[in-house]
Amino acid sequence: MNRTDRLYALVEELRAVAPRPRSARWLAGRFEVSARTVERDIGALQQSGVPIYAEPGRTGGYCLDKTRTLPPVNLTPGEAVAMAVALHGMQGTPFRAAAGSALRKLVAAMQADDAAAAHDLAGRVHLLGGPGPATPIPRPVSDAVAARRVLRIRYGDREGAATTREVEPLGYVGKEAHWYLVAWCRMRDALRVFRTDRITSVAVTAEVPAPRTLRREDLDIPYGPVHQLTLG
């Protein structure tokens, strides 16, 4: 069993017995690997967002929070690959890491034969060109709006002049080539839009600012109409 298949199988094994735990030694025997390999695999799953936690004690082990995972779903292989193609274009957006995590969760929740067919179909799809803007967005910037904390950023303007600012993140604006962080800039005491690839360093402070409302009229951007994202 290769590592990708083993990761999916680990999730399904823990889901099947949840909320009871499985020890690293038991899982190692089940998948014919070392306990150290299981611990590395569990760590990788946790970093990708799978809600696995360790339960201490003689009868403890690894548990899956079943309330925060998907049961087997009826995605077809074609639907799974279509999602992968759509997510391919999210490189350079604040949601690249979250999109990858979501796709892995969905594929892990598929029936085993459908998941295998999806992997086979994906291996037959080839995309020409890069996935989008090459400059990755710093993770604290990607998480800024959801985290609702003041950021201290180092920002370079179009002339190359750099300033350090404290900003209150309010939202994002996305274009084909670049993404922007919309924030209240304390240095300017005004709303400002920061191109994410010009943010050279970022630190998350402990301060949670008072709520501010980002109004539609605040986004009067001269690059064309702005469309608000919906989940419907």
Side-chain angles (χ1 to χ4, degrees):
M1 180 182 292
N2 63 40
R3 186 168 188 252
T4 299
D5 291 339
R6 188 172 66 249
L7 291 175
Y8 294 143
L10 274 168
V11 173
E12 288 309 306
E13 176 63 37
L14 293 176
R15 179 183 288 115
V17 299
R20 290 179 290 125
R22 288 291 197 208
S23 69
R25 179 178 297 179
W26 191 97
L27 292 168
R30 168 71 175 80
F31 295 107
E32 299 180 344
V33 294
S34 68
R36 187 175 181 83
T37 296
V38 168
E39 290 167 356
R40 284 198 298 263
D41 288 349
I42 293 293
L45 289 167
Q46 290 171 327
Q47 289 179 10
S48 71
V50 180
I52 297 174
Y53 62 94
E55 187 172 285
R58 186 174 58 85
T59 60
Y62 293 108
C63 303
L64 183 72
D65 185 349
K66 206 169 185 178
T67 64
R68 297 181 56 199
T69 62
L70 290 168
V73 295
N74 293 323
L75 280 183
T76 68
E79 288 170 338
V81 173
M83 293 180 65
V85 172
L87 297 183
H88 179 77
M90 296 190 72
Q91 179 73 23
T93 79
F95 305 101
R96 176 184 58 85
S101 174
L103 181 60
R104 287 190 293 273
K105 289 179 182 179
L106 284 171
V107 174
M110 293 173 67
Q111 300 288 349
D113 54 347
D114 285 339
H119 283 292
D120 180 70
L121 179 58
R124 301 170 187 270
V125 177
H126 304 275
L127 304 173
L128 182 64
T135 304
I137 296 176
R139 184 62 181 265
V141 176
S142 298
D143 296 340
V145 174
R148 298 182 181 275
R149 295 186 181 272
V150 173
L151 300 183
R152 187 174 296 112
I153 65 172
R154 185 77 173 166
Y155 187 73
D157 63 20
R158 67 182 65 185
E159 282 78 34
T163 54
T164 299
R165 311 174 184 223
E166 286 193 351
V167 301
E168 302 172 19
L170 299 176
Y172 302 106
V173 173
K175 290 179 60 185
E176 183 176 346
H178 301 290
W179 274 71
Y180 301 80
L181 175 67
V182 183
W184 185 266
C185 176
R186 292 182 170 179
M187 186 175 78
R188 303 299 186 195
D189 196 27
L191 193 72
R192 289 290 185 268
V193 178
F194 301 93
R195 215 172 87 175
T196 55
D197 62 330
R198 291 179 179 162
I199 298 175
T200 57
S201 69
V202 57
V204 182
T205 74
E207 182 183 355
V208 178
R212 294 182 186 272
T213 301
L214 182 61
R215 303 169 302 171
R216 185 64 174 261
E217 54 266 32
D218 293 329
L219 299 176
D220 185 18
I221 300 173
Y223 301 120
V226 177
H227 305 285
Q228 185 176 16
L229 181 69
T230 67
L231 298 180

